[in-house]
Amino acid sequence: MHNTEILSSKDIVSIPQTPHPSLRHRPRWGETIIQMFLFLSAAISILVTIGIVYELGTETWNFFGRTNWEDTNRQVATPIAATDTTIATTAGGSSIAVGRIIRVGDEQMMVTAVGENSLTVMRGQNGTTAVSHQAKLDVFTGKRVTLREFFTNIKWEPQIGNFGVLPLLNATLMTSAIAMLVALPLGLAVAIYLSEYAGQQARNVLKPMLEVLAGIPTVVYGYFALTFMTPLLRSLFGVETVQIYNTASAGIVIGILIIPLVSSMSEDALSAVPRSLREAAYALGATKLETAMRVVLPAATSGVAAAFIVAISRAIGETMIVAIAAGAGPNFTFNPFNAAETMTGHIVRISGGDLSYDSIDYNSIFAIGLALFAITLTLNIISRRVVTHFREEYE
Amino acid sequence: MSRKTFYPEGQTLQQFISRRHRVGIVWRVLFQAATVIAILALIALLYNIVIGAFGYVAIQNTVEPDTLALNGVPLEAQTKEQLTAALAENVSKGLMRRFENDQPFAERSRDNVYELVVERVVKPRIIRSWSLTESLFEREKIAAFMAEEPTAHLEFRRWINWRFLTTEQSSKPEFAGVRTALFGSLWVIAITLLVAMPLGVGAAIYMEEYAATIANPWWQRANSIIQTNINNLAGVPSIIYGILGLAIFVRALEAFTSGTMFGAVADPTTANGRTIVSAGLTLALLILPIIIINAQEAIRAVPNSLRQASMGLGATRWQTIRHHVLPAAIPGILTGNILAISRALGETAPLVVVGASTFITVDPNSPFSKFTTLPIQIYQWTARPQDEFRNIAAAAILVLLLLLLTLNASAVLLRNRYSRRLS
C-alpha cells in the first residue's frame, strides 16, 4: 500500500536538509558596515545644515541679547555709598532717559528719575550687587539691539550704537536688481536663441563659451568690475556723477556673471518642450518667433521662472564682486552711482581683519548672515516648488 | 460671441504676413545680439586681464647699476664674491647679518646674491605703469611722461613671469610673487579633496544605490529629507559656509585646527584656528553638495541592466556597486569632482571670513600653518589703489585661470577618454 504513494511525508523529510553551507543566507557584517558608512556620509549634509542654523541662530541670539555700553561723557561727581539711590553726576554729556540701564564700574542700575545733574536709580540690577563707588567714574548707558531697530534704523554704525540693517539690505537689493535687469533679458534671449534658432554648430561653439564664463572665479569678476566696468561707466556718465566704488558697476558685472546660469537653466526648460508642439504651431502658420514666444516659452514657464528665482538668490549671495567694486561703508542711498556696502560685502570687510570673538562685530556678521541665509533659502525653496508644482507635463 | 474675428484677405493678408516676418527677423536679431553681448563680455573680461598683465613701466633706480660696475665689469657679469662685496658695501651690517642668518652666503647661489643686490642696493621703483593697449597705441603720452622724468628708464614688463611664480609675497609690487599663495592654494585644495571626495561619493552611492531599496517608510522619509537638504545646501551662498567655518572650525574646534591638540604648532603666533585645515574643511563642506549631486547623476546614468546582471549572478549589493556600478560611473564622478575642485580653487569669500592671512612670506609647511591662497592674493592686490598692484593682480588672475583651464581640460579629456557607451 505504501508503494502506491509516490512521495510520502517521510521521504520529504529524508531529503538532505542542509545544502552547501556557502549558499545559506549569512549576515554580511562587512556590507552592513559599508552601508552604515555610506549612510553617515549622506547624513553629514544634515549636520551641515544643523550647524549653519545652530551657529547663525545662537550668535544672532547673542547679537540681540547683548547690552552695548555707550559712554555718556558724564562722570560720577561725588562718591556713592552702597545704599545711595540718588547719584550726582557731572554736567554735560548725553542725556539719560528714565527707564534706561546705566553702568557705573561693574554695577548696573536702572534710572527711575532724572534731576539736574543727578539721577535717581534702582541699584544692583541684572544680577550685579550694589557697592560703593568712587567719584569720577564714567557713567555708561546700556542699549540692546531690538528687532524693530534692526529692521527700521537706516544707519549701520555698530561702534556708536546704530544697528539698522536697512542700508546693507538696500545695497544688496540694488545690486541684485541691477544684476537682474542685465541677466534676465540677456540670459533668456540667449536661451531662446540657443534652443530655437541656433544650429548645431553654433551651439557647439557658444555653449562651451558660456560655460567658461560661468567657470571664472568671482574674484576675477570683481577685478573686471573695478578696472573695466567702473572706468567705462565713469567715462559714459561723467567722473563727478559716478563714484569710484558704486553699486551700478557691481550690479552689471553680477548680471554678466549670472547670464550663463539663467541661459543654461532656461535653455534646459525650453529644450524639454516636445517638438510636436512646435510642429503643430508651424502647421497652423505661426512664424518661428510666434512659435517660440507664444507656444514654447509659455510651455516652459515653470523652468524659466525657476531659473529667474535661482538667479536672484545667486545675485543676493554674491560676495566678491560687491566687496571689491561696490564700496566699503554702509550707505543708505538709492543712487546706483554712489558707493554702498552690501550685506555680503560688509561680512567680508568686517571679518577681513583679526576679528575678536564676542565683540559686537563678530555677533553682527552672524545676524546679517542669518538674514542672508533666510532670504536665499526661501528663494531656492520657492524655485524648486515652482518647478515641481507648475510644470506642464507633455507626453 | 459678439467679438468679431478679422480675417485679412488678398493684399492685406500679404502685408500682414510680411509684417509678422519682419517682426520675426527683428527679434531674431535681438536674440543674436544678446548672445553676442554675452560673448563680448567674456572677451572684454579676458582682454582686460591680459592688458593688465603686460605693458611698459617707468623704473627709477635708487642707485644706478652703472655705478656698481667693478673695473668696467658690469653688475650682471660680476661673480658671486664681487656681488657679495657690493652688497656689504651698500647695506648696513645688521642687514648683512640677517641675510647671513636666513641663509649663509656660502650656500647662496650667485643669482640669489644678484637678486639681493638688485632688491636692496639698486632698489628699482616703478613710478608709473601702463597697460598693454596704452603701451601699444599711446606711445606719445608715454614719451611725454618719460621726458619729464629724466632719471627713470622705460622697460617693457611681462608681469607674469617665472620670477613672479617662484618668489614670495612682498609689499613692493616689483618684487612680489605668488609662490606662497600657490602653495597655500594647493594645501587647502588637497585637504578639501581628501575630505569632500570620499564623503561626497559615499553619500551619492548611498542615495542612488541604497536609499531606494529600503522599504521602511521612516527610512524613506529620512532619505528624502537628506536629498532635499543636499539640494538646498547647493544653493547656500558661499559666504555662509565661511561664517560656519569661522564658528565651528576656527573657534569651536580651535584645539584641533590650530594643531595644539597634536602639539604640532609650527609657529606660536598661529595658535588660533585660522589655519589651512580650517580653510580646507570649510571648502570641503562648500563643495560637498556639488560633488554629491554630480556623482549622483553619474551613478544614475549607469544602466540598470548592469546591476541586474550582476545581482542575477549572485553578487551582493556592495559587490555589484564595487565591481560594476562604480567602474562604469567613475569618469562621470571624476569629472564632477574636478569641476567641484575648480570651484573650490576660485573661492575667495569663505576664506576671507575663515581668516586667510593678509600678508605672509613663509611657505605653509603643515596643515596647521597660516595661509593665503591665490584668489585671496588677487582680492588684496585688486583692493590696493596703486596701478602696479592692479598689474600683479592681473598676472595672478592669469595664473589662476591657467590652473583652472588645466583642471577643466583634464575633466573634458577624462570624460572623452573613459566614457564608454553603456546603454
Side-chain angles (χ1 to χ4, degrees), chain B residues 83-98:
Chain B
L83 287 167
T84 315
L87 189 64
E89 213 170 284
N90 287 286
V91 302
S92 69
K93 283 208 174 91
L95 196 56
M96 273 311 266
R97 236 176 286 132
R98 223 185 75 205

Side-chain angles (χ1 to χ4, degrees), chain B residues 204-270:
Chain B
I205 294 174
Y206 176 80
M207 297 310 294
E208 286 305 308
E209 298 292 323
Y210 287 99
T213 65
I214 294 169
N216 183 329
W218 286 101
W219 277 101
Q220 279 184 357
R221 181 135 188 80
N223 291 331
S224 88
I225 290 177
I226 292 178
Q227 185 66 62
T228 315
N229 190 51
I230 291 169
N231 293 339
N232 282 337
L233 278 184
V236 172
S238 58
I239 193 158
I240 300 288
Y241 284 97
I243 297 181
L244 179 72
L246 176 66
I248 292 194
F249 299 129
V250 176
R251 194 180 177 191
L253 299 179
E254 190 183 321
F256 167 69
T257 51
S258 65
T260 45
M261 206 162 106
F262 312 102
V265 181
D267 169 3
T269 56
T270 66

